[in-house]
Amino acid sequence: MATVNDPVFVVVAIDFGSHGSGYAFSFRYEFATNPINISTPYWSSESGGDATYKAPSSILLNSKKKFVAFGHDAEDQYSTICEKNEQNSWYYLKEFKMKLYEAVVLGQDIRDDFKMEEMNGKKVSAKRVFRLAIKFLKKHLLDQFKERNLGVNNDLIKWVITVPAIWNDACKQFMREAAEGAGITGEKFCIVYEPEAASIYMRLIPVEKFVGENKTTILRSFDPGRKVMVVDAGGGTVDISAQEVLPDGHLKIIHKICGGSWGGEWVNQEYRKLLKKLLGGDVFMEFKQTQGLDYNEMMRCFETAKKSFKGNENFDISTRFPANLAELLESKTGCSISNIIENSRFSGKLRVKRDKLFIGRELFQSFYSESISMTIKEIKDILKHDRCRDVSAVMLVGGFSECPMLQKAIKDALELEVFIPVEGGLSVLKGAVIYGHDSSIVTSRVCNYTYGVSISLPFKEGEHRREKHYRWDNEDWCKHIFHVCFVEGQDVHVGDIGMIEINNTFESEDSKTKRTEPFAIEIYISDDKKPMYVTDEGCNLHAKIHIDPPNGIWPVYAFGWVELEIAGTEMIGTYVNAETKDRISTRFEFLPTGYKTLKGERERMREMD
């Protein structure tokens, strides 16, 4: 927790959502008196509309890929560009967050960078996009502080960036490097998992901030000893965590964080798939690329309909069908949209009147089916776990949680109290600010994997595999041994350390030639609780510690040890030289995702426009 001598004066959290992005902050003195006294700016468009606590996740770059605008400003300027038919000279990206995860699912190596496609198919560096977006939000905040004469410079700020729990370590490292590129570095930066952040906020907000059938039950859900599940249903992902409230009010994570990429955008994609089948993929893509203003407005109207649909309507659901889309279709096919519907399998389920598309209730409901069924299955699987059988309540947060369809389906499927914070969309952002002030609020987590270090042991015939044998200093050794420091499913606390001695000798003439060479400590993860070798199936290299010889040369007997320390959402790997006590450390993500790619998910990602 922040102290009087702590150089952190203010904590700022940044949340990139699939549909909306924003930041929140609080000063140290505010946190000390009221932890939930957290400020969030409001964003609005010059073209009108209500102010919101998040700006659209849209960014506009010029022909030289220089930053021009973000959020509503990017959308408004791009609309003007489309009216002038100049979009091919600009780079416009919308809802770009999930493109990072999609790249991983599709097998791309994102460790350095990868290319994103903007609205019209042109390629741009993904790291550049994220760096510029973070840089914009950072500048927006500092400008606000300057206007208020607060005198806060970057050195006094701790930054927290939220990430979905299903993102793997490569995604999280990508975000860390993008933040560093935007000038957010070192100890003043950390990552927090979105459902954990929501849990932190949940623990502190007053009961009247919830919507539920029985507020008394909700209040009891936060008593010490109670267990609560948080379902963070966002635009791109659904992340699920379960935690227990401890006697001191802190949280203990009691199950591996799970989830998948079946958030609200899955429903939108089902709608776009319908349009592609009805209109043809070529017509749909041409409309999207040449009529960006109308395409965005069409999808905004669908988003509104999606979030208000209850499933018990006795009328067709209407959404916008732009006139220029109907005109493009007729020019390409020679048929009107009404004729195409009448001769399709959607006859009787769809109809168009002027610029409105009316969708039958059952057809509209089908857009939600897969997303909701996968969410409920994941929840039920977690509740079967021994630690989670006595979970007393489920909290829904995130933008997709506002959908009545999702709310009703989860309530009908579970014999538990289900409730939604009034500002559920802000719970992740505000929880991240609280975490930045006091990361110890989450006292323990569950290892998603087994963590360990690759070592060598004296070779034992009949016990070790012959292909692992090698000679060093005239002795027989076995390489690639997986020395376990933390076991999959183990409860771990901040500050826990796993240790292993690492000793090297350079006695023989051959080994002496290696005394000036650096070596690397390799840290591995495994699906198995008791892996034998780091080369076994399910084992993956997770991090390396590169070590140079002291004063340019290793002593004949080089003794030391490796520490793996739990540090919140990160792990710190350190090599300690036993003689000099010099320490060489590297930070890496502690909880790579426990999520497994769904069958057919790669194909679905490739189909996404």
Side-chain angles (χ1 to χ4, degrees):
M1 182 179 293
T3 65
V4 174
N5 296 320
D6 194 332
V8 172
F9 185 65
V10 61
V11 171
V12 182
I14 295 175
D15 180 24
F16 281 114
S18 297
H19 295 297
S21 300
Y23 65 83
F25 64 91
S26 75
F27 292 90
R28 185 175 59 180
Y29 68 86
E30 293 174 321
F31 177 78
T33 56
N34 181 5
I36 62 173
N37 182 14
I38 298 168
S39 301
T40 52
Y42 279 85
W43 308 83
S44 60
S45 170
E46 292 184 2
S47 60
D50 296 332
T52 59
Y53 53 78
K54 285 188 179 179
S57 297
S58 304
I59 190 169
L60 180 66
L61 313 180
N62 64 19
S63 60
K64 295 182 179 180
K65 302 177 184 177
K66 301 290 187 182
F67 177 83
V68 175
F70 185 86
H72 291 292
D73 289 343
E75 290 190 343
D76 292 344
Q77 290 192 44
Y78 186 69
S79 296
T80 302
I81 289 167
C82 288
E83 289 173 357
K84 297 177 180 179
N85 200 27
E86 296 176 348
Q87 56 266 41
N88 287 331
S89 299
W90 299 79
Y91 291 80
Y92 178 69
L93 294 102
K94 185 177 176 66
E95 302 169 1
F96 52 85
K97 173 185 175 181
M98 279 302 290
K99 292 184 183 296
L100 180 57
Y101 175 70
E102 290 166 16
V104 173
V105 171
L106 294 174
Q108 296 184 48
D109 187 350
I110 68 166
R111 285 173 294 181
D112 293 324
D113 199 359
F114 70 100
K115 297 294 185 180
M116 284 182 176
E117 275 194 12
E118 57 86 54
M119 182 71 81
N120 298 290
K122 298 187 294 295
K123 304 282 188 179
V124 62
S125 159
K127 193 165 288 183
R128 182 180 189 84
V129 170
F130 278 91
R131 173 173 58 81
L132 291 174
I134 295 171
K135 196 171 184 178
F136 165 78
L137 292 173
K138 175 186 172 186
K139 182 178 184 301
H140 189 279
L141 170 87
L142 295 176
D143 287 347
Q144 297 292 312
F145 286 171
K146 187 175 180 180
E147 288 178 12
R148 294 163 60 181
N149 295 317
L150 293 177
V152 179
N153 61 48
N154 196 44
D155 293 337
L156 299 175
I157 301 174
K158 181 171 183 179
W159 300 86
V160 184
I161 292 184
T162 67
V163 297
I166 69 164
W167 276 15
N168 66 10
D169 57 307
C171 291
K172 286 173 271 193
Q173 185 62 29
F174 180 98
M175 287 297 292
R176 175 177 289 280
E177 291 174 3
E180 289 174 353
I184 300 174
T185 59
E187 298 297 321
K188 296 294 177 64
F189 171 81
C190 70
I191 282 173
V192 64
Y193 301 109
E194 290 169 1
E196 282 191 10
S199 304
I200 292 167
Y201 184 61
M202 164 211 72
R203 185 187 66 86
L204 296 174
I205 56 180
V207 68
E208 62 267 17
K209 291 283 188 179
F210 289 96
V211 177
E213 296 175 1
N214 186 332
K215 290 186 177 180
T216 303
T217 301
I218 294 170
L219 186 60
R220 288 204 310 270
S221 297
F222 307 134
D223 289 344
R226 294 282 179 170
K227 296 179 180 179
V228 183
M229 178 181 290
V230 176
V231 179
D232 178 15
T237 64
V238 175
D239 291 328
I240 305 172
S241 69
Q243 50 275 312
E244 179 181 352
V245 183
L246 299 177
D248 61 2
H250 286 183
L251 297 175
K252 175 183 179 181
I253 306 302
I254 58 174
H255 191 278
K256 294 187 293 185
I257 295 174
C258 301
S261 60
W262 53 76
E265 183 58 25
W266 186 294
V267 181
N268 296 8
Q269 182 66 10
E270 290 298 303
Y271 174 59
R272 286 192 288 264
K273 284 166 64 176
L274 178 144
L275 291 178
K276 287 180 182 179
K277 290 176 183 177
L278 184 67
L279 310 174
D282 292 343
V283 171
F284 181 84
M285 291 305 296
E286 183 175 338
F287 170 71
K288 178 185 173 184
Q289 293 176 357
T290 61
Q291 304 294 329
L293 172 63
D294 286 298
Y295 173 81
N296 287 340
E297 182 60 27
M298 179 183 75
M299 292 310 301
R300 268 197 295 266
C301 287
F302 177 79
E303 183 74 15
T304 300
K306 178 185 78 176
K307 287 190 174 181
S308 61
F309 180 66
K310 297 179 180 178
N312 59 359
E313 288 85 348
N314 57 5
F315 52 82
D316 293 343
I317 291 78
S318 67
T319 186
R320 187 163 184 259
F321 192 85
N324 53 6
L325 176 54
E327 292 167 2
L328 175 64
L329 176 66
E330 191 160 354
S331 71
K332 294 289 186 180
T333 64
C335 298
S336 69
I337 179 61
S338 295
N339 287 337
I340 287 178
I341 291 173
E342 187 177 343
N343 292 291
S344 74
R345 65 186 182 90
F346 301 111
S347 179
K349 301 175 183 178
L350 296 174
R351 59 187 173 89
V352 171
K353 185 176 182 180
R354 297 188 181 89
D355 66 343
K356 296 291 184 183
L357 176 64
F358 292 86
I359 306 172
R361 178 174 57 83
E362 290 185 2
L363 179 57
F364 200 91
Q365 194 166 338
S366 70
F367 299 150
Y368 299 80
S369 297
E370 283 189 278
S371 173
I372 287 176
S373 65
M374 286 186 286
T375 299
I376 291 173
K377 181 182 183 300
E378 192 83 345
I379 291 172
K380 288 184 174 181
D381 285 347
I382 294 172
L383 291 174
K384 292 175 184 176
H385 193 279
D386 288 342
R387 295 180 180 180
C388 300
R389 294 183 190 277
D390 52 349
V391 164
S392 61
V394 175
M395 182 176 79
L396 298 180
V397 299
F400 189 33
S401 70
E402 298 170 7
C403 288
M405 274 288 293
L406 179 64
Q407 295 174 11
K408 184 178 185 303
I410 291 178
K411 288 178 180 179
D412 290 347
L414 305 176
E415 296 180 356
L416 295 172
E417 180 76 14
V418 178
F419 54 92
I420 307 101
V422 172
E423 295 180 339
L426 278 176
S427 59
V428 170
L429 197 50
K430 291 189 173 184
V433 173
I434 297 169
Y435 180 84
H437 282 290
D438 183 11
S439 60
S440 68
I441 198 167
V442 181
T443 61
S444 70
R445 293 176 171 86
V446 178
C447 288
N448 275 343
Y449 291 95
T450 295
Y451 293 79
V453 179
S454 178
I455 65 169
S456 293
L457 291 177
F459 187 84
K460 294 182 178 179
E461 197 70 51
E463 179 178 333
H464 294 137
R465 298 210 302 249
R466 172 49 58 177
E467 68 268 23
K468 302 295 183 182
H469 172 269
Y470 72 101
R471 296 275 295 175
W472 182 264
D473 275 354
N474 302 315
E475 293 183 351
D476 296 310
W477 293 88
C478 179
K479 62 184 177 180
H480 297 156
I481 296 293
F482 195 123
H483 176 82
V484 174
C485 294
F486 299 103
V487 180
E488 183 269 331
Q490 177 183 348
D491 283 338
V492 291
H493 300 77
V494 174
D496 283 356
I497 295 176
M499 297 177 59
I500 174 66
E501 286 188 9
I502 301 289
N503 301 323
N504 282 315
T505 61
F506 301 90
E507 295 179 311
S508 68
E509 291 303 316
D510 286 342
S511 66
K512 285 178 181 178
T513 63
K514 308 289 187 182
R515 290 180 64 189
T516 59
E517 296 180 6
F519 70 88
I521 303 295
E522 295 184 338
I523 299 163
Y524 280 80
I525 58 175
S526 174
D527 294 322
D528 193 351
K529 289 182 182 292
K530 296 180 180 180
M532 180 70 179
Y533 301 101
V534 298
T535 54
D536 290 348
E537 185 178 355
C539 296
N540 290 287
L541 180 64
H542 192 51
K544 284 186 179 183
I545 307 174
H546 295 278
I547 307 161
D548 292 320
N551 301 317
I553 189 167
W554 291 105
V556 175
Y557 302 102
F559 301 123
W561 66 87
V562 172
E563 300 174 354
L564 296 189
E565 179 183 357
I566 306 298
T569 57
E570 295 179 314
M571 186 178 282
I572 302 173
T574 303
Y575 172 77
V576 184
N577 186 310
E579 181 179 350
T580 66
K581 298 302 186 290
D582 289 340
R583 301 172 69 89
I584 300 172
S585 299
T586 185
R587 288 177 175 265
F588 49 92
E589 302 309 323
F590 162 51
L591 288 173
T593 178
Y595 167 73
K596 302 296 188 295
T597 302
L598 293 171
K599 181 180 180 180
E601 187 166 8
R602 289 186 176 87
E603 289 68 26
R604 185 176 68 84
M605 292 290 188
R606 290 191 182 97
E607 291 175 358
M608 293 184 73
D609 50 278

